[in-house]
Amino acid sequence: MKVVIFGCGRTGSSLGLQLASRGHYVTIIEQNPSALRRLGKDHGCHIIIGSGLDEDILNKAGIEEADAFFAVTRGDNTNLMAAQIVKLDHNVPRVCVKVADPLRAEAYRNLGFFCITPSALTAGYMRDWFTEQPLEAISEYNVLPKELEI
């Protein structure tokens, strides 16, 4: 499958390497060329330097043919804006957004976006490791805690 990843930080580079090693055609969009060092030498990913909010950059990355788009920069606003652009303007079938703020993640989930909240996943896995419970599906961890509900 063809995937486009916006952001080459720790998450984006790991995701790109994992998908490329499994035979997927991976394009990574990154604004900072020095961030690409995280990919190593033989990464097998196609690289586009620029912003995933820029239409020209998205087109260079092949967004029209992409099966999936991952917005994994360190900025929630940037990730959510990019996700809306590719989902609404380019009809990318699968869009995954990294959102640090659990309240915003929940709001965008309610709008139909698949949002990953890294702190919720990490806490859930740690809880189950500590309590020696079997690991659950991602949807069990990736939720807004009741204490944060409005």
Side-chain angles (χ1 to χ4, degrees), residues 57-80:
I57 295 297
L58 288 169
N59 288 326
K60 285 180 184 177
I63 198 67
E64 295 299 329
E65 297 82 34
D67 297 297
F69 178 83
F70 297 89
V72 292
T73 73
R74 62 180 157 179
D76 284 0
N77 289 339
T78 300
N79 291 340
L80 290 165

Side-chain angles (χ1 to χ4, degrees), residues 40-138:
K41 292 181 181 176
D42 298 319
H43 50 76
C45 300
H46 183 69
I47 305 298
I48 303 289
I49 302 296
S51 171
L53 301 176
D54 183 318
E55 284 290 329
D56 291 337
I57 295 297
L58 288 169
N59 288 326
K60 285 180 184 177
I63 198 67
E64 295 299 329
E65 297 82 34
D67 297 297
F69 178 83
F70 297 89
V72 292
T73 73
R74 62 180 157 179
D76 284 0
N77 289 339
T78 300
N79 291 340
L80 290 165
M81 187 178 296
Q84 291 176 72
I85 290 169
V86 301
K87 185 172 183 173
L88 302 175
D89 293 349
H90 298 281
N91 298 314
V92 175
R94 300 181 77 185
V95 178
C96 180
V97 193
K98 183 175 88 172
V99 183
D101 180 346
L103 293 171
R104 294 176 75 197
E106 184 68 13
Y108 276 85
R109 277 187 207 104
N110 291 333
L111 294 173
F113 290 89
F114 183 73
C115 299
I116 296 283
T117 304
S119 60
L121 293 178
T122 304
Y125 278 113
M126 289 178 164
R127 178 202 64 212
D128 288 351
W129 171 80
F130 178 71
T131 59
E132 299 181 355
Q133 298 296 310
L135 296 178
E136 299 182 28
I138 190 171

